[in-house]
Amino acid sequence: MNENIIEIFSTVQGEGKYVGCRQVFLRLEGCNLHCSYCDTDSAVGMHPDCVVEEGAGTYHLVPYPNPISPQRAAELVEIAAAGVPHQALSITGGEPLLHAAFIRALAPHVQLPIYLETNGTLHEELKKCIDCVAGISMDIKLPSATTHPVWDAHVRFLEIAKTKDTWVKIVVAAESPDSEVDTAIRLVADTAPESMLILQPVTPYGGCTKPSPEQLLAWQENALRRLAHVRVIPQTHRMMDML
Ligand code: SF4
């Protein structure tokens, strides 16, 4: 049940529906995908310590030996949140649902609502812990950005996730084919039309380049024909040099 945690810290949520809210982040090791724009070193076993910010906003980073129990992780979340009211605990990765049992065991010890930031492919794992989470930030991965298409996995995931406060994010690059963005938009419209869709221009990394304003406007226009809630939001924490 103990897991390797990469880091626990307090910062401003830089992405998605709750952009700008103060949250604690807990980042778990490991991922089941390989995205071209991935900027997270989440390889399993590469983190002998969990780096914890002791006191919200202090940048006082202290290593705690991994692996860590769910109860101890909840205590470390309180340490990271100390002194500042927070809106939520965001559990991210890597892919947090590789650790569904850990999330389930952690939840009773955490005061804050729990949000998941997930790649939206592990629907069976989501079932194991969905009753413990208040919100889900789900990615749709375009085939051009990953090693293989995961459309079917996304549909099965969103069918389950839509029973919660779920918003869907598509990271788009200059290289993103219109046909793939269109398929992703239709997937959301057919499966969970009430969900908010966020088009997130990629932060250039790993050879990806950011889309043009014309591309973003055209993709949003396409999405707005099928969905009521469509926003274009970049990674704002990068602009502010926040954690
Ligand atoms: S799903 Fe997220 S953590 Fe996993 S490879 Fe893609 S960007 Fe990285």
Side-chain angles (χ1 to χ4, degrees), residues 23-103:
Q23 297 182 350
V24 177
F25 287 76
L26 186 157
R27 186 181 304 283
L28 287 156
E29 266 191 348
C31 188
N32 58 320
L33 296 182
H34 298 280
C35 302
S36 55
Y37 48 72
C38 185
D39 62 356
T40 304
D41 177 16
S42 65
V44 174
M46 294 300 290
H47 302 89
D49 298 310
C50 168
V51 177
V52 179
E53 184 183 25
E54 290 194 342
T58 64
Y59 283 68
H60 180 53
L61 305 177
V62 177
Y64 286 78
N66 274 319
I68 291 172
S69 71
Q71 195 155 0
R72 183 62 175 144
E75 293 168 2
L76 296 175
V77 168
E78 282 188 23
I79 288 172
V84 177
H86 287 72
Q87 183 235 7
L89 168 65
S90 272
I91 302 182
T92 183
E95 173 46 50
L97 285 172
L98 291 173
H99 315 277
F102 180 86
I103 293 168

Side-chain angles (χ1 to χ4, degrees), residues 94-232:
E95 173 46 50
L97 285 172
L98 291 173
H99 315 277
F102 180 86
I103 293 168
R104 196 167 181 84
L106 170 70
H109 304 291
V110 173
Q111 305 293 320
L112 292 167
I114 292 176
Y115 292 169
L116 291 181
E117 295 192 355
T118 167
N119 63 31
T121 56
L122 301 175
H123 68 285
E124 290 294 347
E125 300 307 306
L126 177 63
K127 282 185 197 168
K128 295 176 186 173
C129 62
I130 191 167
D131 55 324
C132 303
V133 306
I136 301 171
S137 172
M138 172 196 168
D139 281 7
I140 288 186
K141 299 296 186 184
L142 303 182
S144 54
T146 55
T147 52
H148 57 284
V150 285
W151 298 124
D152 291 346
H154 283 324
V155 171
R156 288 195 290 272
F157 190 96
L158 188 52
E159 288 281 8
I160 298 165
K162 69 182 181 183
T163 59
K164 292 283 179 173
D165 177 15
T166 293
W167 55 105
V168 180
K169 182 181 77 186
I170 309 171
V171 177
V172 285
E175 301 80 14
S176 300
D178 291 340
S179 60
E180 290 188 0
V181 179
D182 184 65
T183 299
I185 291 167
R186 289 173 186 269
L187 188 159
V188 178
D190 292 344
T191 312
E194 301 304 317
S195 298
M196 177 181 290
L197 175 66
I198 291 147
L199 298 167
Q200 180 175 295
V202 71
T203 302
Y205 191 87
C208 297
T209 47
K210 65 180 182 181
S212 69
E214 290 79 9
Q215 284 177 298
L216 288 169
L217 290 169
W219 290 328
Q220 188 183 38
E221 183 181 327
N222 181 3
L224 283 168
R225 290 199 200 100
R226 298 183 176 87
L227 296 162
H229 310 290
V230 184
R231 299 186 186 174
V232 177

